[in-house]
Amino acid sequence: MIAPSILSADFARLADELASVPTSDWIHVDVMDNHFVPNLTLGLPVVKSLLKVTDIPIDCHLMIEDPDRWAIEYAEAGAYNVTVHVEAARDPIKLARNLRAAGAKAGLSVKPGTPLEPYVDVLKHYDTLLVMSVEPGFGGQKFMADVLEKVRQARHLVDTGHLKLIVEIDGGINADTIEQAAQAGVDCFVAGSAVYDAADPGKAVEALRAEAARAQAAGTP
């Protein structure tokens, strides 16, 4: 699965930018509040507008304080997947239940320095695990390969039936890094500049998908 991140898109042409990647599995939307992360992007009104102009499922990544209070509104608006940060959520299990009750899939994200082990039981209530491969806040950062150990842990937990979720990765994904991420066990790849800096974003999506498929096939015993 490929999820282009509109953080790297032209904000003045968002409807066109979504239309330029018609075969995407999800559209990844980074919501930042300048508190949880040192950047300010967009919020619920823009997400509602995006939902009106695309049929591609919207994947909202909330890098915000107090997601217990605000995340539900994104689910109620129609976002397909709403991801919150375990570092910010006060009651992540209750929040997952509320997101699902509001009609969305529930996602839980971990920063590069946050270990996976303490949250395995929490993840049993979630549909998506988003592993950050850069420090959240800004696009265009260098991929942090050491987070792939968390991906491998999650892949093992899913493959052995302990968890049932999609393993997603976000940060520095491009033609050079998607291979190792795919071989580690990622299901969904968030890509920003690798898609929207390309001459043809739609072809870039397909190229990334093909590269991930090749890497996964090569890594299969």
Side-chain angles (χ1 to χ4, degrees):
M1 299 171 60
I2 305 297
S5 172
I6 64 166
L7 185 63
S8 298
D10 182 348
F11 275 27
R13 302 174 51 253
L14 285 180
D16 292 336
E17 296 283 59
L18 267 60
S20 72
V21 288
T23 64
S24 303
D25 297 281
W26 293 349
I27 295 294
H28 190 81
V29 179
D30 288 312
V31 177
M32 307 183 196
D33 65 357
N34 200 32
H35 295 286
F36 180 71
V37 292
N39 196 6
L40 184 66
T41 54
L42 48 80
L44 186 61
V46 175
V47 170
K48 288 181 176 178
S49 294
L50 295 176
L51 287 162
K52 294 176 182 177
V53 298
T54 185
D55 293 327
I56 302 172
I58 297 293
D59 175 31
C60 285
H61 177 196
L62 306 186
M63 289 171 269
I64 63 174
E65 289 184 349
D66 200 10
D68 304 70
R69 162 65 179 84
W70 298 108
I72 307 305
E73 294 186 35
Y74 289 84
E76 292 173 342
Y80 176 79
N81 186 73
V82 179
T83 295
V84 300
H85 268 267
V86 71
E87 302 90 355
R90 296 190 307 273
D91 189 342
I93 293 176
K94 180 181 178 181
L95 182 50
R97 291 172 179 160
N98 289 340
L99 286 170
R100 286 172 163 180
K105 301 291 186 182
L108 194 68
S109 184
V110 290
K111 291 181 177 182
T114 300
L116 198 62
E117 292 86 348
Y119 305 108
V120 171
D121 286 341
V122 172
L123 283 166
K124 293 177 180 178
H125 300 269
Y126 279 82
D127 304 292
T128 306
L129 166 65
L130 176 58
V131 177
M132 292 301 299
S133 43
V134 298
E135 286 296 334
F138 294 92
Q141 297 184 63
K142 185 179 179 182
F143 180 76
M144 301 169 68
D146 56 346
V147 306
L148 292 179
E149 182 55 35
K150 282 188 282 190
V151 171
R152 296 184 188 97
Q153 293 172 13
R155 181 81 267 147
H156 176 73
L157 290 167
V158 172
D159 290 346
T160 56
H162 290 84
L163 295 176
K164 187 178 180 181
L165 47 72
I166 289 171
V167 180
E168 186 177 9
I169 196 164
D170 181 7
I173 293 297
N174 54 42
D176 297 323
T177 58
I178 197 168
E179 178 178 0
Q180 53 187 314
Q183 291 178 341
V186 171
D187 299 303
C188 182
F189 306 84
V190 177
S193 55
V195 171
Y196 283 115
D197 285 356
D200 187 327
K203 288 184 178 178
V205 167
E206 289 306 306
L208 289 169
R209 192 193 312 282
E211 183 62 33
R214 282 194 295 269
Q216 288 170 340
T220 301

